[in-house]
Amino acid sequence: MPLTDSPCPRCGHPQATRTQGMSLIAECAHCGWMVATTNPGHPFHDRTPYTVRARPQGITRATAIARLSATLGTGVPAARAMLDQDLPVAENVYALDVIRLHKLLWPQGLSLQVSPEFTWELDDSL
């Protein structure tokens, strides 16, 4: 855990910080004092509107269309249009929705193209 520049308010020793879910926790290893607050560095707080497009990765076009259709619950013509006409699978969605879409589509052989640039980590080891 990284140490902060802020000393413990109870004993004055250095505090260590860590993140846990949507929380940022500062605690003193010396006396046990601890405080938790909302972690501003969590994707939940990113209110940038993103546009998301799907891209086939190592699968045929026909397989990509079928998998996109089944995963999103759209008809085949809509999925075909998303891939062939470069239509978005989602518009004006926030970071957590982009991450959720990635978790749905990556195992199906589809990657995401996100605009504006997406600075949050998308874990490909699902």
Side-chain angles (χ1 to χ4, degrees):
M1 288 191 286
L3 295 177
T4 69
D5 293 330
S6 175
C8 173
R10 183 183 293 161
C11 72
H13 282 79
Q15 296 179 75
T17 61
R18 62 185 166 92
T19 59
Q20 184 176 344
M22 292 187 348
S23 297
L24 180 63
I25 300 167
E27 59 187 315
C28 177
H30 185 261
C31 73
W33 182 88
M34 183 171 60
V35 66
T37 187
T38 303
N39 178 9
H42 191 280
F44 173 81
H45 301 289
D46 181 354
R47 290 299 180 223
T48 305
Y50 292 101
T51 299
V52 182
R53 290 177 170 79
R55 300 287 185 253
Q57 295 299 311
I59 58 176
T60 67
R61 175 182 166 276
T63 300
I65 291 168
R67 290 181 180 178
L68 185 62
S69 173
T71 303
L72 296 181
T74 66
V76 169
R80 183 181 303 115
M82 286 177 200
L83 293 178
D84 292 350
Q85 297 173 29
D86 202 30
L87 299 177
V89 295
E91 290 185 282
N92 296 316
V93 295
Y94 296 132
L96 279 183
D97 294 320
V98 174
I99 292 167
R100 287 182 188 122
L101 276 169
H102 172 74
K103 289 181 179 180
L104 284 173
L105 297 176
W106 181 260
Q108 302 303 319
L110 297 156
S111 66
L112 301 183
Q113 177 189 1
V114 184
S115 60
E117 182 181 349
F118 196 69
T119 59
W120 302 102
E121 176 113 9
L122 293 175
D123 182 6
D124 297 343
S125 64
L126 301 172

